[in-house]
Amino acid sequence: MHTQTDILRLQPFQAVIFDMDGTLLDTESVFKTIVFEVCTELGFEMTDAVHMSMVGGSHENTNRLLVEAYGVAFPYTLFDERCRVIMRERSHGGVPVKPGAHELISELRERGIPTAVATSSRQPHAHTHLGAAGLLDLFETVVTRDDVLHPKPHPEPYLTAARRLGVDPLECLAVEDSHAGVRAAYAAGMQTVMVPDLVHPNDDIRALGIAVLESLDHVRLAAFNPR
């Protein structure tokens, strides 16, 4: 693993593929609050451990984790709908963007480097939130849960994004904030950078040898600053 204190520059790349929530959009902390509120409303006690296991996962994975944690009586469909309704309400005034996102995307566009999003979110959520953040039109393609058979940590979302961009996965840079996302990008053979949000790298993630950088500004500097 490399940190911002010892990495000088990322290897050259031909395209960049971003995760969405927690990487481009500062939405994970908002969603965490909603998850705790809705669980309380439904008569269940959410914990930090259960919530952390959900971060970066797909709809199906979240369903499985919650049933494992609370039993088959957990009303996942109701939970999911309530979370989405509240998230839409709280995103009505716009969706916050992570620091450095605009600057990094702008530099990539200026350099003619194509970009994509690979997210575990479903298409309506992804397009609505990227649109509300003013980012949707900046990407060549957006790969959502609805576009793949196998969600993260399977590499299919990243491989699909690379295929749509027409770039070899080995020539792609992937930027992620979750363990599932890092595993997906790494399995796709991409140069992978983790920018932690709510979840930090554990020993298994560190063992992959990926770069861990503090922010998207650090990613931009590591990619484009002279040696």
Side-chain angles (χ1 to χ4, degrees):
M1 178 189 72
H2 304 283
T3 66
Q4 61 266 22
T5 59
D6 60 20
I7 189 168
L8 295 178
R9 187 163 184 176
L10 298 172
Q11 294 300 310
F13 51 84
Q14 300 301 314
V16 181
I17 303 173
F18 294 91
D19 172 56
M20 187 179 74
D21 290 302
T23 299
L24 288 171
L25 305 182
D26 197 5
T27 46
E28 290 287 14
S29 59
V30 176
F31 191 65
K32 177 181 180 180
T33 300
I34 293 170
V35 165
F36 274 74
E37 288 177 4
V38 172
C39 275
T40 298
E41 177 185 311
L42 297 176
F44 296 86
E45 184 180 357
M46 176 55 62
T47 66
D48 285 332
V50 173
H51 169 259
M52 286 298 185
S53 70
M54 294 163 50
V55 173
S58 65
H59 165 75
E60 297 94 333
N61 188 58
T62 298
N63 190 351
R64 178 182 60 79
L65 289 168
L66 291 173
V67 170
E68 286 178 357
Y70 302 110
V72 294
F74 186 84
Y76 179 76
T77 301
L78 179 57
F79 165 83
D80 184 59
E81 179 58 29
R82 287 291 296 141
C83 286
R84 292 181 186 283
V85 167
I86 297 171
M87 192 69 177
R88 283 196 296 271
E89 292 171 352
R90 296 186 186 177
S91 302
H92 185 69
V95 174
V97 177
K98 296 288 283 188
H102 284 295
E103 292 81 358
L104 176 54
I105 295 168
S106 293
E107 179 140 6
L108 293 167
R109 289 173 65 84
E110 288 171 5
R111 291 172 178 267
I113 297 173
T115 58
V117 171
T119 176
S120 294
S121 295
R122 286 171 286 192
Q123 193 268 353
H125 172 92
H127 282 241
T128 297
H129 279 209
L130 287 169
L135 299 180
L136 182 61
D137 295 335
L138 302 181
F139 298 100
E140 276 73 16
T141 190
V142 176
V143 177
T144 72
R145 176 64 188 92
D146 299 316
D147 298 311
V148 297
L149 289 175
H150 307 290
K152 302 174 188 177
H154 194 282
E156 186 181 355
Y158 277 100
L159 294 174
T160 300
R163 185 176 69 251
R164 289 183 180 181
L165 293 176
V167 179
D168 188 321
L170 298 178
E171 299 295 329
C172 294
L173 174 69
V175 185
E176 269 285 352
D177 74 298
S178 73
H179 292 180
V182 165
R183 292 184 185 283
Y186 184 83
M190 297 183 179
Q191 181 179 189
T192 305
V193 174
M194 182 178 187
V195 180
D197 183 38
L198 299 184
V199 178
H200 292 270
N202 59 18
D203 290 343
D204 290 342
I205 295 298
R206 291 189 183 96
L208 299 178
I210 65 164
V212 179
L213 299 176
E214 183 178 328
S215 70
L216 295 178
D217 280 322
H218 287 87
V219 175
R220 179 171 55 84
L221 293 173
F224 301 123
N225 260 14
R227 291 187 186 276

